Each structure stands twice: as structure tokens, then as C-alpha cells.
Amino acid sequence: MHTADPPTPKLRRALTAPLLTLYGLGVTVGAGIYVLVGATAEVAGPYAAVSFLIAALVVSLTALSYAELATRYPVSAGEAAYVEAGFQRNWIAVLVGLAVAASGVISASAVAIGAASYLHTLTNLGTTLLTIGIVSVMGLIALWGIAQSVFVAAVITIIEISGLLFVIGWGMSVQDPQGYAFSETFPGFEINAWRGIFAASLLAFFAFVGFEDMANVAEEVKDPVRTIPKAILLTLVLATGLYLATSITVLLVVPIDTLSTSTAPLALVFSNAPEVIKQGFAAVAVVATVNGVLIQMIMASRVIYGLADRDHLPKILASVPQVTQTPVVATLLVVALILLLTQTLPIGTLAERTSQIVLGVFVLVNFSLIFLKLKPDSTRQHFHVPLVVPILGVLTSTLLFGAGFL
């Protein structure tokens, strides 16, 4: 069981608030909007942007819960530590830890397929070969070291955000847009429209999978009590703004029948652009999506390391060589699993499974915070949210999980 004080960290505290925010933005922005805006539009039609807004509202409540829990227990395998403290049951902690690691592996697999689709437009090489190459190279970077890995991810994040701003700017300047009129992107009160919006919210939710990854590198954050809440909330605000602007732009410019079938949807905004613009954006999109693969690898390997370090998994998975100070065996296991999944399942299925796993974890994490708040608080100084926040987090996460069956 957890004691009041977190265990002494073994990993290097190297992450500041800007690096941690860029880390969160890197996985959130790269994993979602570059790959899945088309799939979301297929289900929600002209109201895809509303689906992103609903997903953001659901995520924001649970994000506040994570901000408190990550400052109570700033350790790797964060969710497992929170659930163990809240439920006082080891087996639930192990189950949640494995679910979080699985979500990272499955998410990285979906994003690797998206990255290969963008890279295919540049090289015309087979997507299978490209997917294997992407996963292998990102695995080598993840083995390199946390500060180096997150620095690489931070540089890439700046590139991918610039890419989204370019999509928005270019799309708004298109003389003859082929998509919906702006007024058509707001839903009325028709039941069928809202059914599609809520069903698509599960896919849109995948675009926000990432902020919780910041909790799983908490053991490597400088001054976690101040840094983690600031970085989590800033990541969500910036990602939501970018998503709404990008999804509306794409809906205005691209015909829905073309958009809904694309695994490289943002490239469609440049269909009438000069070839150099098309190629340049495809290169940015490759970099952006590859970033999501790297960050999910880092997260999943830290969760597996954290579980092994607490004797919930074989101890070899907790081995940290002095040279890299990274969990090498855990990272190699994650890379192998991602390679397997990219070759066996399609991107839509991978995205939906990721969302469902993460929402299930969100419900348990929010329940944990409710239980902890009902007990005397003997932990050291940490960030606080009102009790109503995790209660609403449970309700909204459960409702969004159910929306997937509409």
C-alpha cells in the first residue's frame, strides 16, 4: 500500500514547465488532429468541430483530477499509484497500470500508421515498410535518454504546431472552398445530428489522449507541485484552440466525401496548392505524427518500468542502465508490441480501442480521487480541486464511453 510520502525517485528530474507542456502538446496535437479529423467528420458530418469541443470538456474535468493526483504522487506509473492509494487494492493498481501502458502502445500504433500514410505521399514507398522504419527509429530515440527524447519531441512539437497554423492560414485564404458554409457547422436540435456528434466525440477524444502522459513522467519533473498542474492545463487550452480552428478550416475547404475517407486529412487542404507547398506540408505532417509515436513509447515504457519497480511485473523490466538512465528492457518490449499491432489492426479500430481504454482508466482515477478526498489528507503540499470535479469526471467519462455504442 502507498505511504503518505512518495518513494524517492530513481530517474533524473530534468523536465521544466515549458518542456513538460511541449511534451503534452506533442503527443496530443500530433496523435489526433493530423490523423483523425477525417474519421471524425465521417461520423459527425459538418459538426465535427463540436465533437472536438465535447471531447475537450470531458477531458478538462479529468485533467484537473490528474493535476491534483500527480502532485500528491509524483511518480512513474502515475495512474497505478493513484488507484492503489484510492482503492487500497494492489490488483486494481496493476490492472490500471497495464491498461495505461496498453493505451500508449495502441495509440502509438495508430499514429505510426498515420505517419506512414503521410510519408507515403512523399516517397511512394510501401506503408508497411515505412511503418516498421518509423517505429524502429523512434524506439532508438526513446532509448537515448529522457531529456534528449523530450528535447527532440519539443522541437518537433514546435514544427507540428506551425504546420497546423499553416493549415488554418492557407485554408482561410482559399478562393473557392469546396466544403460546408460556416453557418452549416453549428448543429440544431435534431436527435440524429447529436447522435452523430456524440458518437464522433469518442474518436475526437483520441486527439486529446496525451495530457495524462505528463503524469507518467512526474518522477522526472522539476518542482512537480507547481509544474504539473500548470503544464496540464496549458496543454489542454492550447490543444483545444488549435483543434477547433483546424477542424473548422478543413470542414470549410474540403468536400466531406473526400475528407471522410482520408488517413492523411490535413493534406487535402493543399490539393490545389503548388507542388512545393504540398510536399512541404506532407513533410511537416510526417514529423508531427512521428512525434506522437515517440511520446507514447516514452509513456508506456515508464508505466511498465513503474509497475516492475513496485514488484507488480518481472523485475528485469525495471532495469535502468547507468549510461542512458532510461528503462531499456521496458522500452524494447513496447517497441516490439507496437510493431506487432501496426501490422495487424486498422487505424480506426486502434483509435477507438485507445479511447475506450483511456476512458475506463479516467473513471477509476476519478473514483480514486473521490475516495482520497473523503479521507484525512496526510500527504505533503499538493494542488487541490473541489470534490465536484472528480464526480463530474466520472459522469462525463462514463457518458462518453457509452457514446461509442450509439
Side-chain angles (χ1 to χ4, degrees):
M1 299 300 169
H2 259 279
T3 56
D5 289 340
T8 304
K10 298 177 184 175
L11 304 177
R12 181 184 297 154
R13 288 204 181 276
L15 303 180
T16 58
L19 269 180
L20 189 60
T21 302
L22 286 168
Y23 175 88
L25 276 173
V27 68
T28 308
V29 174
I33 199 77
Y34 274 86
V35 175
L36 282 173
V37 67
T40 306
E42 183 179 13
V43 181
Y47 314 124
V50 182
S51 295
F52 281 104
L53 187 58
I54 290 170
L57 292 173
V58 172
V59 168
S60 63
L61 290 163
T62 298
L64 289 168
S65 294
Y66 268 86
E68 175 165 337
L69 286 163
T71 56
R72 281 178 181 251
Y73 306 102
V75 294
S76 293
E79 287 98 337
Y82 313 154
V83 172
E84 188 175 355
F87 285 85
Q88 299 288 297
R89 294 287 184 277
N90 271 348
W91 67 269
I92 297 180
V94 176
L95 182 66
V96 165
L98 291 173
V100 171
S103 74
V105 168
I106 298 168
S107 173
S109 304
V111 180
I113 293 170
S117 296
Y118 278 110
L119 193 54
H120 173 72
T121 65
L122 280 175
T123 63
N124 283 325
L125 293 173
T127 51
T128 300
L129 178 66
L130 291 171
T131 305
I132 292 169
I134 287 165
V135 174
S136 301
V137 171
M138 292 304 105
L140 289 172
I141 295 174
L143 288 168
W144 185 13
I146 185 67
Q148 295 90 337
S149 298
V150 176
F151 177 75
V152 169
V155 171
I156 294 173
T157 299
I158 293 166
I159 294 170
E160 69 192 11
I161 290 172
S162 301
L164 289 183
L165 294 173
F166 187 49
V167 168
I168 295 162
W170 187 273
M172 291 303 177
S173 69
V174 168
Q175 296 298 316
D176 185 25
Q178 300 295 307
Y180 294 102
F182 184 68
S183 59
E184 293 178 296
T185 61
F186 297 94
F189 297 100
E190 302 88 2
I191 293 295
N192 282 340
W194 283 98
R195 186 179 288 124
I197 289 167
F198 281 113
S201 295
L202 186 65
L203 276 172
F205 175 84
F206 177 82
F208 288 94
V209 171
F211 83 85
E212 76 283 1
D213 291 3
M214 289 185 274
N216 289 311
V217 294
E219 198 171 311
E220 295 159 282
V221 173
K222 292 179 179 177
D223 190 9
V225 172
R226 294 182 61 191
T227 301
I228 293 172
K230 187 190 302 181
I232 286 177
L233 295 175
L234 196 54
T235 294
L236 278 184
V237 168
L238 292 172
T240 301
L242 281 168
Y243 284 2
L244 290 176
T246 304
S247 55
I248 289 171
T249 300
V250 176
L251 288 165
L252 298 181
V253 174
V254 182
I256 189 67
D257 54 341
T258 307
L259 177 63
S260 61
T261 57
S262 177
T263 54
L266 299 191
L268 300 173
V269 171
F270 302 98
S271 58
N272 295 320
E275 195 61 30
V276 66
I277 298 287
K278 289 183 186 177
Q279 297 292 319
F281 178 75
V284 169
V286 170
V287 171
T289 46
V290 156
N291 199 31
V293 179
L294 172 61
I295 292 178
Q296 292 288 14
M297 274 182 185
I298 295 170
M299 181 276 286
S301 63
R302 266 48 177 193
V303 174
I304 291 170
Y305 154 82
L307 288 172
D309 194 47
R310 292 173 181 78
D311 299 317
H312 297 316
L313 290 175
K315 205 67 180 175
I316 189 171
L317 292 168
S319 61
V320 178
Q322 190 63 38
V323 175
T324 61
Q325 288 188 275
T326 58
V328 169
V329 180
T331 303
L332 290 173
L333 174 63
V334 165
V335 170
L337 291 171
I338 292 169
L339 285 170
L340 176 66
L341 287 176
T342 55
Q343 305 308 310
T344 54
L345 291 173
I347 189 169
T349 302
L350 289 165
E352 284 195 9
R353 294 300 166 268
T354 302
S355 295
Q356 288 168 333
I357 290 169
V358 172
L359 283 165
V361 171
F362 280 8
V363 170
L364 291 174
V365 166
N366 279 300
F367 267 125
S368 297
L369 184 55
I370 292 168
F371 296 153
L372 287 167
K373 282 185 167 295
L374 295 176
K375 300 173 187 174
D377 186 1
S378 59
T379 52
R380 298 181 298 184
Q381 180 188 6
H382 59 78
F383 181 75
H384 289 269
V385 296
L387 180 60
V388 69
V389 168
I391 292 171
L392 289 173
V394 168
L395 291 174
T396 52
S397 296
T398 303
L399 287 171
L400 188 55
F401 185 94
F405 300 99
L406 291 175

